[in-house]
Amino acid sequence: MKQDTRPLILHVIHHLHTGGLENGLVNLINHLPESRYRHAVACVEDFSDFRLRVTRPDTPVIALHRSRIGVWRLRQGLFRLCRQFRPTIVHSRNQSGLDALLPARLAGVPHCIHGEHGWDVDDLNGERVKPALLRRIHSPLVDRYITVSRDLRNYLVQRVHISSRRVTQIINGVDTVRFCPPSTRSQQLLPEGFAGPDAMVIGTVGRLQAVKDQETLLRAFARLVSGGGEVESRARLVIVGEGPLRDTLIRLADSLGISARTWFPGNISNVAEILHTFDLFVLPSLAEGISNTLLEAMASGLPLIATATGGNLELVTEGVNGRLFMPGDIDALTRLLSQYLGEPSMLRTHGGNAREMAVRRFSLPVMLASYQAVYEEFCDRR
C-alpha cells in the first residue's frame, strides 16, 4: 500500500462542541486543500455531536477526558497519540492545549504551533500571574504563536515576553456565502404570536455563561420597553444559545416582566437562518477574542452593538457598522438600542457597511490563506 505522504496536523483543543474556536477549527479542516493536508483532533476533555460538522471522513476525533484521568495520564495519552500519528505539526490552542507541547516534543514531533483564541474565564484581562507564567514556561517548545486578535497578540508580546517575530495574527474568517443578507427579513422561525409584522427583533448568539453577560442585555431591554413608546412596544429579544446560566436568565426575564417579549430557543443548527429574523445584533460580552457570531452577524448584513473589549474593537468601527459600549453599562446599552430602533435608516446603513467589511476583510478564504501560509512554512522544513 502506498504511504500517505501528506503532512498530518494534530489539533489539540479543550473540547469540540458549539463555540467560536471550535467553529473556526471545523472550517479550517473542511476547507484547507484535502490533497495537501491530513488532520486529527485531540480533545483534552470530550466532544459532542458538533464533531459531525467535520465533513472529512479521514479526520479522527479523540477524547482524552482529563478531568477523569488527571493531567499526567493526559500527557501520556498525548505522547502515545503523537507516536501513533506522527504529525508534522501539533497545533494546540489556549491554556489547556499547553499540556500537549512537551509530550509532542518528546515524541519527536518536529513543529509545534500554539494558538490563543480568547481570555480564560477567570482571567478576563490577562492580569493573573499563573496563566502568563505557564505560557512563558512552555514558550521554548513553540515554533509559532497564532492569535485571533491584536489584544491577544499584545498580551503575548508584552505580558508573556514572546518575541513579536514569533507571533502571527490571523483573524477568524466567516463563510460569506452561507452567511449573507436575506432578500427580506423573515419571521418564519420565530414562535407563533411572538412578533408581529412590524416587530423590531434584537438578537444575540452565544453560550449562556457569565463571560457573555446576557444579563446586561436583558436588563437593558427591560428598560427599553418600560418606556411604553410605540417603537419600544414593537421590540422583541431573542437570546440563542445553551449553557449553565440558561435557567437563571429565563428567571431574570420573568422577574423583569419581559418573558412574553423574549425567546430562548437554546442551541440551534440553523444560525444563518435565525440571523435573518434579526434587525439588530448585540454582543454584550465582558471579554472576547474575535467573536465568530459577531462576524456571522456582519456577513448577514446586521448592524452591531458590542462591548468595547478585546477583538470587538477590530470588528466594530464606531458609527460605521455599529456602536460600542463599555462592558456591563446597562444605561449606555439602553440608549444605543433606543437610537437604533428610532432610526431605521441607521440600521440599514450600518448593516450594509457591516456586510461590505465582512466580505472585504474577514472572509473565509482570507483566513484559510493565512493559516495555509503558516502551515506551509513549517511543512517545508521537515
Side-chain angles (χ1 to χ4, degrees), residues 45-79:
E45 287 294 349
D46 205 347
F47 56 81
S48 70
D49 288 345
F50 192 81
R51 68 166 297 214
L52 299 176
R53 297 196 184 188
V54 177
T55 57
R56 286 184 53 170
D58 63 342
T59 302
V61 179
I62 302 101
L64 295 168
H65 305 290
R66 182 183 66 183
S67 60
R68 184 190 309 165
I69 66 174
V71 68
W72 289 107
R73 288 180 62 192
L74 167 74
R75 290 168 181 161
Q76 292 169 6
L78 287 164
F79 175 83

Side-chain angles (χ1 to χ4, degrees), residues 207 209-218 249 284-286 307 327-329:
R207 185 160 171 77
Q209 58 186 11
V211 69
K212 297 300 182 181
D213 197 22
Q214 290 93 353
E215 178 180 339
T216 286
L217 176 55
L218 282 167
L249 293 171
S285 305
L286 300 176
T307 43
D329 191 337

Side-chain angles (χ1 to χ4, degrees), residues 224-235 261:
L224 174 77
V225 300
S226 67
E230 189 273 331
V231 172
E232 290 80 1
S233 68
R234 295 189 281 121
R261 302 168 183 254

Side-chain angles (χ1 to χ4, degrees), residues 8 10 12 74-90 99-112 141 382:
L8 174 69
L10 175 60
V12 182
L74 167 74
R75 290 168 181 161
Q76 292 169 6
L78 287 164
F79 175 83
R80 288 193 294 268
L81 278 181
C82 290
R83 296 290 289 178
Q84 176 186 351
F85 289 140
R86 298 288 181 184
T88 301
I89 295 171
V90 163
D99 282 325
L101 297 174
L102 183 58
R105 291 303 196 183
L106 292 175
V109 174
H111 303 293
C112 289
L141 304 172
R382 185 158 185 167

Side-chain angles (χ1 to χ4, degrees), residues 70-363:
V71 68
W72 289 107
R73 288 180 62 192
L74 167 74
R75 290 168 181 161
Q76 292 169 6
L78 287 164
F79 175 83
R80 288 193 294 268
L81 278 181
C82 290
R83 296 290 289 178
Q84 176 186 351
F85 289 140
R86 298 288 181 184
T88 301
I89 295 171
V90 163
H91 186 166
S92 57
R93 290 163 171 85
N94 287 352
Q95 184 167 308
S96 65
L98 296 173
D99 282 325
L101 297 174
L102 183 58
R105 291 303 196 183
L106 292 175
V109 174
H111 303 293
C112 289
I113 294 171
H114 183 72
E116 294 289 352
H117 289 252
W119 298 105
D120 298 322
V121 137
D122 58 352
D123 190 27
L124 297 180
N125 298 309
E127 295 174 348
R128 291 184 61 219
V129 172
K130 184 178 178 180
L133 182 60
L134 283 172
R135 286 165 170 84
R136 182 62 184 164
I137 290 170
H138 286 85
S139 64
L141 304 172
V142 178
D143 293 290
R144 178 67 55 81
Y145 289 88
I146 293 175
T147 68
V148 296
S149 70
R150 189 185 307 118
D151 198 36
L152 289 164
R153 185 182 191 278
N154 291 341
Y155 169 76
L156 287 179
V157 173
Q158 297 170 11
R159 178 77 165 138
V160 188
H161 304 296
I162 304 299
S163 168
S164 61
R165 294 189 299 274
R166 297 173 60 197
V167 185
T168 298
Q169 182 186 348
I170 302 177
I171 293 179
N172 294 341
V174 60
D175 186 341
T176 55
V177 175
R178 180 184 173 206
F179 292 92
C180 60
S183 54
T184 58
R185 292 286 168 202
S186 170
Q187 295 185 355
Q188 292 182 357
L189 295 179
L190 298 177
E192 185 176 355
F194 174 70
D198 59 347
M200 301 289 286
V201 179
I202 300 160
T204 191
V205 179
R207 185 160 171 77
L208 306 185
Q209 58 186 11
V211 69
K212 297 300 182 181
D213 197 22
Q214 290 93 353
E215 178 180 339
T216 286
L217 176 55
L218 282 167
R219 293 187 182 280
F221 181 76
R223 290 189 187 181
L224 174 77
V225 300
S226 67
E230 189 273 331
V231 172
E232 290 80 1
S233 68
R234 295 189 281 121
R236 297 293 183 271
L237 178 62
V238 177
I239 298 180
V240 178
E242 201 48 86
L245 293 184
R246 176 180 173 83
D247 291 342
T248 300
L249 293 171
I250 290 174
R251 287 195 299 269
L252 177 60
D254 185 56
S255 69
L256 292 170
I258 55 173
S259 290
R261 302 168 183 254
T262 306
W263 181 39
F264 292 88
N267 273 340
I268 59 174
S269 59
N270 56 340
V271 174
E273 288 75 22
I274 203 72
L275 289 174
H276 290 171
T277 71
F278 294 178
D279 295 284
L280 176 63
F281 189 88
V282 181
L283 188 70
S285 305
L286 300 176
E288 282 288 347
I290 288 288
S291 166
N292 278 279
T293 55
L294 205 57
L295 286 166
E296 290 164 358
M298 288 175 66
S300 301
L302 290 171
L304 314 169
I305 298 178
T307 43
T309 184
N312 294 351
L313 296 166
E314 297 180 62
L315 301 183
V316 181
T317 301
E318 177 69 30
V320 176
N321 65 333
R323 304 292 301 277
L324 295 162
F325 70 103
M326 295 306 297
D329 191 337
I330 298 170
D331 291 338
L333 178 54
T334 304
R335 286 194 299 272
L336 293 176
L337 293 173
S338 180
Q339 288 171 16
Y340 268 117
L341 265 59
E343 298 184 43
S345 62
M346 187 166 68
L347 282 169
R348 291 191 296 271
T349 299
H350 288 187
N353 292 341
R355 170 65 183 179
E356 187 275 331
M357 291 172 67
V359 171
R360 177 168 49 87
R361 296 178 54 197
F362 308 119
S363 68

Side-chain angles (χ1 to χ4, degrees), residues 1-7 34-38 58:
M1 183 180 294
K2 185 178 178 181
Q3 183 179 5
D4 193 333
T5 59
R6 293 174 299 165
E34 188 171 344
S35 61
R36 177 57 178 145
Y37 306 105
R38 293 175 295 142
D58 63 342

